[in-house]
Amino acid sequence: MLSFILRRLLIAIPTIILISIFVFALQKFLPGDPILAMAGEERDPETIAFLREKYRLNDPIPLQYLTWVGNALAGDLGISLRTNQPVLELIGEKLPVTIQLATMAMIFAMVIGIPAGILSAVRKGTVIDYAANVIALSGLSIPNFWLGIMLILLLSVKLQLLPASGYVPFADDPLRSIQVMVMPAFVLGTALAATLMRHTRSAMLSVLTSDYVRTARAKGLSERRVILKHAFRNALTPIVTLSALLFGELIAGAVLTEQIFTVPGFGKLIVDAVFNRDYAVVQGIVLVTAVGFIVMNLLADAAYVLLNPRLRS
């Protein structure tokens, strides 16, 4: 298993390099000049020259890239051009928020989507199957921002059961933190649950027709044991892959949902950075997000080996 993970790591290294080149190059094509914005309305030439020298923007582009990569490997993602704060510090402030939101959203998605997918596959062609598909289609079709606004109006304004917006760190007040994050997590989780449901149903349908499932039934095993132990376990591979990718997307930030519920996560941070042409922050966030995607895929690969012993050889 260790050699398998090491091979995956070797594949991940060139992927990260290509992503870093792409992100760095893309920033150079963005319109506008952040240095002019930083220089103020007067735009004194000496100030502009000082800022360009300070942020090493006069260096050749390849040298700027190598400098950025070298600093990133040392744990320095640069300084925000707008707030003069270290990028790593900004990311450290927003990352726990995004991870909490992503984790809660994935819990909702798995609790709703996977059982619904299994039930839909087992009861194929029945009312339960059609109802599950209609609900899944609704979850994919309803916009997150609309669902979020409706939940705020119902649960916060009318019933006053949950807070409408804001964020409380989990370490400060766990119960209050969960209450604040329940609605945005549910909004994100419903769309993911619909996707998980469809993939779980498809994977289960292909497994339920296999020989070993028929053999298990012929041995007289209970239907519950056949479904959960034999069928579902062998259908987990695509579900694990999809879950890892969906969690990676959540780590990248859910911009609309974060804006509606005033959640200070990655989504809001990267939008503000793009509008402010804060290159260092955008590069740092995209790099961290890309690494997060790769880490999630590595964890999914490790899960394959644990779930399927045949891969260990």
Side-chain angles (χ1 to χ4, degrees), residues 88-158:
L88 201 60
E89 184 179 313
L90 282 171
I91 292 175
E93 292 174 358
K94 307 299 182 183
L95 189 58
V97 182
T98 300
I99 289 178
Q100 182 183 351
L101 178 60
T103 302
M104 291 179 65
M106 282 304 302
I107 290 172
F108 276 118
M110 290 181 173
V111 168
I112 298 171
I114 293 177
I118 294 173
L119 194 60
S120 178
V122 173
R123 298 286 185 264
K124 181 184 176 183
T126 65
V127 176
I128 294 176
D129 183 25
Y130 294 133
N133 278 281
V134 168
I135 294 172
L137 184 61
S138 301
L140 291 172
S141 304
I142 296 174
N144 284 350
F145 69 88
W146 183 87
L147 180 59
I149 292 171
M150 292 300 104
L151 286 177
I152 290 173
L153 289 175
L154 176 63
L155 299 179
S156 299
V157 178
K158 188 173 183 180

Side-chain angles (χ1 to χ4, degrees), residues 244 247-248 251 286-299:
F247 191 80
I251 293 296
V286 175
L287 185 64
V288 169
T289 302
V291 172
F293 262 102
I294 291 171
V295 169
M296 291 308 302
N297 276 282
L298 286 173
L299 292 175

Side-chain angles (χ1 to χ4, degrees), residues 254-275:
V255 178
L256 288 177
T257 304
E258 289 182 5
Q259 292 285 354
I260 291 169
F261 291 97
T262 323
V263 178
F266 260 16
K268 189 175 186 306
L269 180 62
I270 194 168
V271 168
D272 292 342
V274 170
F275 277 112

Side-chain angles (χ1 to χ4, degrees), residues 34-45 47-48 51 82:
I35 297 299
L36 296 180
M38 292 176 65
E41 295 181 359
E42 297 181 359
R43 295 184 177 180
D44 180 57
T47 303
I48 293 174
L51 290 173
R82 300 293 296 180

Side-chain angles (χ1 to χ4, degrees), residues 200-271:
T200 303
R201 180 181 183 274
S202 177
M204 285 294 293
L205 286 175
S206 64
V207 169
L208 286 173
T209 58
S210 58
D211 292 337
Y212 55 83
V213 171
R214 284 195 292 267
T215 302
R217 283 173 172 157
K219 289 181 177 179
L221 298 179
S222 66
E223 188 66 11
R224 180 178 180 181
R225 188 174 181 185
V226 171
I227 297 301
L228 296 181
K229 184 176 181 180
H230 295 273
F232 179 60
R233 183 174 180 179
N234 286 280
L236 271 177
T237 299
I239 299 172
V240 169
T241 303
L242 180 64
S243 299
L245 293 176
L246 292 176
F247 191 80
E249 289 181 10
L250 290 173
I251 293 296
V255 178
L256 288 177
T257 304
E258 289 182 5
Q259 292 285 354
I260 291 169
F261 291 97
T262 323
V263 178
F266 260 16
K268 189 175 186 306
L269 180 62
I270 194 168
V271 168

